[in-house]
Amino acid sequence: MEIHSPEFKEKSRIALHDVNLQKALSNLKAGFPVKRSTAVARMPEFEQLRDEATALKNHILENLDIYLEQFEANVIKNGGHVHWCRTPDDACKKILEICKDVDSKTVTKGKSMVSEEINLNDYLQKNGVEPIETDLGEYILQLRGDHPSHIIAPAIHLNLEDVSEIFHEKHKRPKSSDPAVLMQEAREMLREKFAGADVGITGANFLVAETGSTIIVTNEGNGDLTQTLPKTHIVVTSIEKVVPTLEDMTLFLRLLARSATGQEFTVYNTLSTGPRRTGDQDGPENFHVVLVDNGRSEMVGTEFQEMLRCIRCSACMNHCPVYGAVGGHSYGWVYPGPMGSVLTPQMIGIEQAGLLPNASTFCGKCESVCPVRIPLPKLMRHWREDEFSKHLSPKAVRWGIGGWAFFAKRPGLYRLLSTSSNLFLRVMAGKKGRIKKIPMAGGWTDWRDMPAPSGKTFMSQYKSRKQS
């Protein structure tokens, strides 16, 4: 996937004026957040589970090497293979090698954001292997030549009319606006692909160290068909997905579905433990796990280690006012929203992703709904600090911070300026109590009115309260 993160501002302007996109995003605001709230309300122990999951993730990251080696040993014991890949290129080469070893011409794929991260589909196509997306959302996007805009609902930026149009164009069938008809049409098109695939590729939500198992959680049956019908199953995943035991896995599963879609549990929770054994009715003859690092090991022991707690539930972006306004494609790479604003700079560099951690109101909603309590605003602030220290911030930002620092170091002057600014803004607002336009603040007032300051300044109130 090409990197367009430096174009965030321009893409956001286009997104704000895209009527079709805004219609699709309105469905997001009325969907996942409300369902999550309802699901959480039905579970009195939800906050306790968040605490337990956070502590467990911290323990795993402090012992990551131990659990990964235990996972590898058990995969091998079960008859499978584990491949360690430091870079996306390493991972793509290894997956292609496995495909070539079994003379694969086509592969079916379940939804995998790591495969998007390493740009796997393009790599396979360029080397003579046809990848076929089988997740409904991903299938729709593949037909359109599009990319996911959300980590659990990849086609959330589309409306029913968009799906109807692309199905009519590609499937050569009568156009329909009935979701049930479109679903059946997709099933019929994909059925022969499942049967004819030489290799099945899936991601993994978790890796279980004690058993050498991988698990995918889905609401469609495509994942099961992808990993059981072909002779070779390849799991493409990242190193931080490991958990010590099956019991630990269930703790995260209880949080994942509720935080993601508002379900108590997803429809399918499928464990894979090595290749088919004697007596098994189905399953692959070959089982491979490709573990992708791509900068994650460099995060361990740093201020960004907490980001590795992420279980990819999407709650942060579902509740983010910025994501809700501009959608996922504006972020210009694989991972959108608050989690992407922290993860993307690590993977492609702050030089290219510097706009993303700045694209936040710091309202704190993302941290408040994160099931593993990742302090996303704090981590975005760290990236802002890094950008500033490397002199990558725009000149206007640097001058603005420099100007603020000048006054902040001179308390008397700072108080004079804040008091006079307070008065000036109240005069501008008049009786309405709001300001439609402020010089040099169009980024705010172009889209909303600025409330007028009310009452005294903070320092004035602090002084009066201290004296009383």
Side-chain angles (χ1 to χ4, degrees), residues 59-240:
H59 165 76
I60 293 168
L61 292 172
E62 289 166 2
N63 299 275
L64 189 59
D65 55 339
I66 295 171
Y67 289 121
L68 285 172
E69 289 176 356
Q70 183 185 5
F71 171 75
E72 178 188 35
N74 283 318
V75 170
I76 294 171
K77 181 181 177 181
N78 295 329
H81 308 271
V82 175
H83 310 278
W84 302 79
C85 299
R86 183 167 292 278
T87 67
D89 192 52
D90 293 340
C92 286
K93 286 179 178 177
K94 177 52 66 176
I95 293 166
L96 179 64
E97 178 186 316
I98 297 168
C99 292
K100 294 293 186 183
D101 284 346
V102 295
D103 196 27
S104 173
K105 298 296 186 294
T106 61
V107 300
T108 48
K109 288 181 71 258
K111 189 171 76 65
S112 164
M113 293 309 294
V114 175
S115 74
E116 292 284 338
E117 180 185 319
I118 65 176
N119 204 21
L120 179 60
N121 283 8
D122 286 350
Y123 189 89
L124 291 176
Q125 284 178 325
K126 289 175 182 177
N127 288 277
V129 179
E130 180 190 7
I132 300 158
E133 295 289 354
T134 65
D135 172 88
L136 180 60
E138 294 276 9
Y139 175 67
I140 293 166
L141 297 181
Q142 188 174 39
L143 292 180
R144 290 170 52 91
D146 202 352
H147 291 282
S149 64
H150 192 278
I151 63 173
I152 68 164
I156 202 166
H157 57 288
L158 302 179
N159 294 293
L160 180 61
E161 298 82 4
D162 301 313
V163 180
S164 176
E165 186 65 37
I166 195 63
F167 275 25
H168 173 64
E169 178 187 337
K170 298 294 185 179
H171 295 165
K172 308 301 182 185
R173 295 190 179 187
K175 188 180 292 187
S176 174
S177 58
D178 184 342
V181 172
L182 296 173
M183 180 77 76
Q184 183 60 31
E185 192 173 314
R187 285 196 185 104
E188 292 172 6
M189 291 294 172
L190 286 171
R191 195 164 290 150
E192 62 183 69
K193 305 294 186 182
F194 283 121
D198 307 300
V199 172
I201 299 176
T202 69
N205 292 89
F206 301 104
L207 313 172
V208 184
E210 74 169 351
T211 60
S213 305
T214 67
I215 184 171
I216 56 171
V217 299
T218 67
N219 285 311
E220 303 173 29
N222 70 297
D224 289 8
L225 294 172
T226 298
Q227 63 187 21
T228 57
L229 290 180
K231 292 183 178 180
T232 299
H233 176 203
I234 304 174
V235 178
V236 186
T237 188
S238 51
I239 59 175
E240 80 279 13

Side-chain angles (χ1 to χ4, degrees), residues 398-468:
R398 300 186 67 80
W399 289 344
I401 293 176
W404 177 85
F406 175 84
F407 288 104
K409 293 174 182 177
R410 296 163 177 82
L413 194 57
Y414 188 94
R415 285 194 292 272
L416 176 63
L417 180 65
S418 60
T419 301
S420 57
S421 298
N422 194 12
L423 179 61
F424 175 70
L425 291 172
R426 276 192 283 176
V427 171
M428 281 188 68
K431 294 181 180 180
K432 293 182 178 180
R434 61 182 186 273
I435 307 164
K436 289 189 175 294
K437 290 288 183 183
I438 301 178
M440 297 184 294
W444 178 276
T445 56
D446 282 351
W447 303 101
R448 61 186 73 77
D449 291 348
M450 173 75 176
S454 58
K456 300 178 180 179
T457 65
F458 171 80
M459 290 303 297
S460 298
Q461 294 182 56
Y462 178 77
K463 185 176 180 180
S464 62
R465 293 185 184 188
K466 190 176 181 181
Q467 291 174 345
S468 61

